[in-house]
Amino acid sequence: MPPKKIAIVTCSTRSPRLNPTITRYVHDLLTHDPALPTQQPSSSQNKASSPNETTTDTDTEIDIDPDPNSRHITFTILDLAAQSLPLYDESVIPASLPASDPTPHYTRPHTRAWSATVRAYDAFIFVTPQYNWSIPASLKNALDYLFHEWAGKPAGMVSYGSRGGGKATDHLRAVLTGLRMRVVGTAPALVIKYTGLPVGGLSEEEERVDLDGRDVEGWRLAGLDGMMRNLGMELVCELDKE
Ligand SMILES: Cc1cc2nc3c(=O)[nH]c(=O)nc-3n(C[C@H](O)[C@H](O)[C@H](O)COP(=O)(O)O)c2cc1C
């Protein structure tokens, strides 16, 4: 059986931004935590299946079950900043397109590329900051571009912000439900108290903000690492139903 692919989506597109650091934290926790019913990561590298899919260096395939006939799960970081989507400019209504193959019906090349990228995944974890009590426009924009590519797939959410970002995931849950995604219940909200961002732009290589250990310890003590493992398990259970 081919591996089920889970995208961990980086949703903020500004620079500098904290999102890549938080996404990597989620990725590392899910791929390495022994509480998940996994073997140690095999570190196999998966090639991108679309030209717009990036950061394959963080792809990690993990064995959920040593039985070769059972399924495998891969986690891949998918960065919205790398998609370079303009503010929504598609003339067709995504939900009105043929559900089985909407991709060729879009009028814009960037929509067709984004459609192909999203279709390559079986489930998603959206790692999002809270902007003014909601999600960033970059995430809403990326979601609005498509419909059938999201519909029916399991989705999880991790938020972060100075107060954890729970209001962002409240909004996001409604949006994902409107897109007919199967949103799992656990939505960890990471409070950022001490980790800071440098002022001004950062090059791509420099976009590696170190998490303040006090934040990381606070999340652990608050049980958020456990919540993220629960989220991973909930997605695996949803994929098992297929
Ligand atoms: C436009 C804007 C609005 C924000 N609104 C909130 C908010 O409502 N609640 C909150 O806890 N933090 C809020 N913040 C703080 C962000 O959560 C924090 O800056 C975080 O680092 C943003 O993620 P990013 O750096 O990956 O873009 C806001 C930040 C920005 C830039």
Side-chain angles (χ1 to χ4, degrees), residues 12 14 17-19 129-133 160-164 197:
S12 166
R14 70 182 181 136
R17 56 188 177 150
L18 195 52
N19 214 149
Q130 179 166 308
Y131 281 3
N132 295 314
W133 291 29
Y160 61 94
S162 44
R163 298 197 173 192
L197 278 177

